[in-house]
Amino acid sequence: GKIKGDLRMDSYEWLARGGENGPSFEPGDAEASELVFRVTIDEDDDEFMPPKGKTEPMTEGEIALLEWWINKGASPTMTIGEAEPDSEIRQVIDSFFSQEKQHASSPAHGIQPVVAISPPHR
């Protein structure tokens, strides 16, 4: 709800545009991306995202997925199958899907989703 440094993160277009420090990410180069820098620096740094006390910091798995997505070109339409994840990233993806499946199958939700990672289209 709050825009800081002219950075909006509520759509792909705004996130790609970035803020006062330039683009949020460099497609194909996670290491040069401002977003990756902000989520991996020390939590006590004023530039760390998210700001302390706002939400939980990203997990190692979430950061790995972010870096992988950026390194694969940061396309807003790329599917997991098209990106051809290696075994390490596939494990991270599978862990997210299993967490979602557990959450959705809890008594509060009652419905269990069916999740499949399709192979790349050839």
Side-chain angles (χ1 to χ4, degrees):
K2 180 180 177 186
I3 299 171
K4 185 176 178 183
D6 294 327
L7 176 62
R8 286 183 54 180
M9 300 178 71
D10 54 329
S11 74
Y12 175 84
E13 290 75 20
W14 284 111
L15 182 63
R17 178 183 287 177
E20 63 187 29
N21 292 322
S24 298
F25 54 85
E26 299 292 328
D29 191 0
E31 195 172 304
S33 296
E34 182 72 15
L35 185 56
V36 172
F37 167 74
R38 296 293 183 107
V39 300
T40 58
I41 59 176
D42 187 85
E43 289 184 38
D44 292 326
D45 192 302
D46 288 341
E47 295 183 348
F48 179 77
M49 286 177 38
K52 263 192 170 178
K54 297 295 181 183
T55 60
E56 290 293 314
M58 292 177 73
T59 65
E60 287 182 29
E62 290 167 337
I63 292 170
L65 283 176
L66 175 64
E67 291 172 331
W68 173 73
W69 174 72
I70 292 171
N71 285 331
K72 287 292 186 171
S75 166
T77 60
M78 175 178 58
T79 65
I80 293 169
E82 290 167 343
E84 300 180 340
D86 61 24
S87 61
E88 184 178 325
I89 289 297
R90 187 171 287 277
Q91 283 183 316
V92 173
I93 293 167
D94 289 345
S95 75
F96 281 111
F97 284 139
S98 68
Q99 289 171 12
E100 285 296 315
K101 190 174 182 180
Q102 288 172 359
H103 178 71
S105 65
S106 69
H109 293 88
I111 300 174
Q112 237 180 343
V114 175
V115 178
I117 299 175
S118 61
H121 295 92
R122 302 271 181 205

